[in-house]
Amino acid sequence: MPTNSTRQTENLLVVKGNYERIIVTYDYKDVGVIDGIKIVHLTTFLDGSFE
């Protein structure tokens, strides 16, 4: 995710309801949670251990 960019998270904040919001990234340094949106590494997402 680009530094100081909110483009990826702002779009997901518009989603209403109880849907889980996840961004999948290839960079380990971007992993975390921003405004309730989980940011997970690709391998973690594929093996299902991000919950």
Side-chain angles (χ1 to χ4, degrees), residues 6-47:
T6 58
R7 183 180 66 180
Q8 292 83 1
T9 56
E10 282 182 355
N11 291 329
L12 288 175
L13 290 173
V14 176
V15 175
K16 300 297 179 197
N18 293 327
Y19 297 105
E20 185 173 22
R21 297 174 242 170
I22 302 170
I23 296 175
V24 179
T25 183
Y26 195 67
D27 197 351
Y28 279 109
K29 69 180 174 78
D30 294 330
V31 173
V33 177
I34 298 175
D35 294 328
I37 301 169
K38 293 180 184 177
I39 303 171
V40 297
H41 189 265
L42 176 63
T43 56
T44 306
F45 178 78
L46 291 175
D47 70 15

